[in-house]
Amino acid sequence: MTPADSSKPQESRGREAATRARKESVLKAALECFVEKGIEHTTIHQIQARANCSIGSLYHHFGSKEGIAEELFLEGVQQQNAALLREIRSAGNAEEGVHAVVGAYCDWSTGNRQLASYLHSRDIDFSGQARSRLREIHQLYIREVFIWFAPFVERGEMRALPLETYVPLISGPIQEYIRRWLSGHHPGSPEEVKALFAEAAWSAVKA
Amino acid sequence: MTPADSSKPQESRGREAATRARKESVLKAALECFVEKGIEHTTIHQIQARANCSIGSLYHHFGSKEGIAEELFLEGVQQQNAALLREIRSAGNAEEGVHAVVGAYCDWSTGNRQLASYLHSRDIDFSGQARSRLREIHQLYIREVFIWFAPFVERGEMRALPLETYVPLISGPIQEYIRRWLSGHHPGSPEEVKALFAEAAWSAVKA
DNA sequence: TTTTTTACTAGAACAAAGTTCTATATTAAG
DNA sequence: CTTAATATAGAACTTTGTTCTAGTAAAAAA
């Protein structure tokens, strides 16, 4: 490959930057392929072609096809979590907090459709390492959310429920709606029903 | 293979029965493998070995590995839908109907853990044909459910909402809970929280 | 600057797994 | 009994993910 390749925008601006750019171009190419054709039906060669890089380069950076799928997933989850946390923290009370969770999930998903679709994939064959990393990321996120909501439960503004029921009660409906919407199963836009789902969520957990 | 093989229980009792038995033994073997290792990491040879059949036989009956995955999925969905419909129809009013949906989903999933796990798979690369068959099955089921609930909406006992929001509102939370429970993400048993989810569902759609 | 080391790129060679193909056996029908 | 259709078997083939060896470019050391 010639050095003047398009995937190296910041020519010789340090190797790290170039590496990061390359990795991102691969992740971008992979995301497009995965969403279009599914992970299994995407070949390494297709990713390679779209990202303008060689097999060697691909394996050097990611180790395997699953490595790409994993990194993409973890990055996506973190991005989504960050977006949700930001919104939650700007809420002033429990009800606003619940609305923030539902609303932010909805907004992020409509604003990042490809990544959102990808995050709905199950069956990504995570390595043990990636699996535990994912758990860790999830725990960290959940912990933050619960710390934010805990005071309202203590003050009796929210119901005290088994911990593992809050996420399904609050996020379950919007998640299911968005999943169906993303896969083109039905018409109607999330924007129109956002409030409805937020209210349902709130009434499920309010005291 | 010898004719006295264990996978042909009803020796020479008509070919159809034998064929059905063989196909079922394959589906059973495949389900176990898929749930244990995931679809992609299950090889044809593993299925073949567990089902005690040859490659030729496998491809004769199912056409491909995906063919097996598809048939298993469709069969599972139909079985689940039938179980839910049965429960719904035995309900006497809208509230009981909603409780039936949530309760039956919960019961069926705990009573058919492997199949339930499998049905939570996304990314089964359905062929166009299987995809439309799945749509058809789903439409048929949804239609039945809506026919059952429609009178209650008309009578004003249930809210009139955008059609595509009912399923997420009623089934979203329990589905998400069960999904997490099946993948061993949390303790607590579905039985303990069934009522909670049913009540939340009802309060989301009651007038 | 020159040398040396490290990170990265490249693609041919390899191996694993899904699928096809040909041959054979079994059952049902004429 | 012969014939046709269905089912089973496994070897051969093909696709595709991965490894391996070689080479290049950038940073570090001399």
Side-chain angles (χ1 to χ4, degrees):
Chain A
M1 194 169 98
T2 77
D5 191 278
S6 62
S7 58
K8 276 187 191 169
Q10 290 170 334
E11 202 60 51
S12 326
R13 271 287 181 81
R15 182 145 56 172
E16 287 173 37
T19 298
R20 198 167 24 245
R22 155 105 341 154
K23 287 190 73 173
E24 260 169 42
S25 85
V26 171
L27 289 176
K28 183 169 173 292
L31 177 58
E32 290 167 9
C33 290
F34 289 164
V35 170
E36 267 176 40
K37 307 183 257 261
I39 296 173
E40 189 162 0
H41 280 167
T42 296
T43 71
I44 289 289
H45 289 276
Q46 290 167 341
I47 297 175
Q48 193 210 113
R50 264 203 225 204
N52 261 307
C53 78
S54 70
I55 298 180
S57 191
L58 237 159
Y59 276 85
H60 174 74
H61 290 298
F62 296 97
S64 69
K65 181 176 157 182
E66 270 178 35
I68 302 174
E70 286 172 357
E71 193 155 331
L72 196 56
F73 198 93
L74 292 179
E75 197 133 312
V77 169
Q78 284 174 301
Q79 201 175 310
Q80 186 183 52
N81 287 352
L84 294 205
L85 270 180
R86 215 176 306 131
E87 282 304 306
I88 293 170
R89 283 177 173 145
S90 74
N93 57 46
E95 182 170 2
E96 276 179 36
V98 169
H99 275 258
V101 173
V102 175
Y105 182 85
C106 188
D107 294 344
W108 188 87
S109 297
T110 54
N112 301 271
R113 289 181 62 153
Q114 280 192 320
L115 207 50
S117 282
Y118 183 63
L119 292 190
H120 280 277
S121 308
R122 306 282 157 68
D123 298 337
I124 299 172
D125 290 304
F126 286 104
S127 64
Q129 194 182 0
R131 201 187 305 277
S132 67
R133 180 97 187 83
L134 184 59
R135 254 203 169 75
E136 185 188 351
I137 288 170
H138 185 252
Q139 289 301 336
L140 230 72
Y141 165 69
I142 284 294
R143 208 168 139 272
E144 291 297 312
V145 173
F146 276 40
I147 285 174
W148 194 89
F149 278 106
F152 301 107
V153 177
E154 281 167 21
R155 262 184 258 154
E157 296 173 28
M158 283 177 75
R159 297 171 70 182
L161 298 168
L163 283 185
E164 75 274 14
T165 62
Y166 285 106
V167 171
L169 282 173
I170 294 172
S171 303
I174 188 67
Q175 248 173 289
E176 179 67 9
Y177 182 93
I178 292 287
R179 188 181 75 74
R180 287 162 174 267
W181 178 74
L182 283 171
S183 52
H185 274 26
H186 61 64
S189 90
E191 206 54 41
E192 294 165 17
V193 296
K194 201 160 73 168
L196 171 64
F197 284 101
E199 283 154 25
W202 173 241
S203 86
V205 297
K206 76 180 175 199
Chain B
M1 192 167 100
T2 78
D5 190 279
S6 63
S7 59
K8 275 188 191 169
Q10 291 171 333
E11 201 60 50
S12 324
R13 271 289 181 78
R15 183 144 57 172
E16 286 174 37
T19 298
R20 198 168 24 246
R22 156 110 330 162
K23 286 191 74 172
E24 259 167 43
S25 85
V26 171
L27 290 176
K28 182 169 172 294
L31 177 59
E32 289 167 10
C33 291
F34 289 165
V35 170
E36 267 176 40
K37 307 182 256 261
I39 297 174
E40 188 161 2
H41 280 168
T42 297
T43 71
I44 289 288
H45 289 276
Q46 290 165 341
I47 297 174
Q48 194 208 114
R50 265 205 224 202
N52 261 307
C53 78
S54 69
I55 299 179
S57 191
L58 236 159
Y59 276 85
H60 173 73
H61 290 298
F62 296 97
S64 69
K65 181 176 158 183
E66 271 177 37
I68 302 174
E70 286 171 357
E71 194 155 330
L72 196 55
F73 198 93
L74 293 179
E75 197 134 312
V77 168
Q78 284 174 301
Q79 201 176 309
Q80 186 182 52
N81 287 352
L84 295 205
L85 269 181
R86 216 176 306 131
E87 283 303 306
I88 293 169
R89 284 177 172 145
S90 73
N93 57 46
E95 182 170 4
E96 276 179 35
V98 169
H99 276 257
V101 172
V102 175
Y105 183 86
C106 189
D107 295 342
W108 188 87
S109 297
T110 55
N112 300 272
R113 288 181 62 153
Q114 281 192 320
L115 207 52
S117 282
Y118 183 63
L119 292 190
H120 280 279
S121 307
R122 307 280 156 70
D123 298 336
I124 299 172
D125 290 305
F126 286 104
S127 64
Q129 193 182 358
R131 200 187 305 276
S132 67
R133 179 96 186 85
L134 184 59
R135 255 202 168 77
E136 186 189 351
I137 288 170
H138 184 254
Q139 290 301 337
L140 229 71
Y141 166 69
I142 284 293
R143 207 168 140 273
E144 290 298 311
V145 174
F146 277 40
I147 285 174
W148 193 90
F149 278 107
F152 302 107
V153 177
E154 280 167 20
R155 263 184 258 154
E157 296 174 29
M158 284 177 73
R159 296 171 70 183
L161 299 168
L163 282 185
E164 75 275 12
T165 63
Y166 285 106
V167 171
L169 282 173
I170 294 173
S171 302
I174 188 67
Q175 248 173 288
E176 180 66 9
Y177 182 93
I178 291 287
R179 188 181 74 75
R180 286 161 174 267
W181 178 74
L182 283 171
S183 53
H185 274 23
H186 62 64
S189 90
E191 207 55 39
E192 294 165 17
V193 296
K194 201 161 73 168
L196 171 62
F197 285 101
E199 283 153 25
W202 173 240
S203 86
V205 297
K206 76 181 174 197

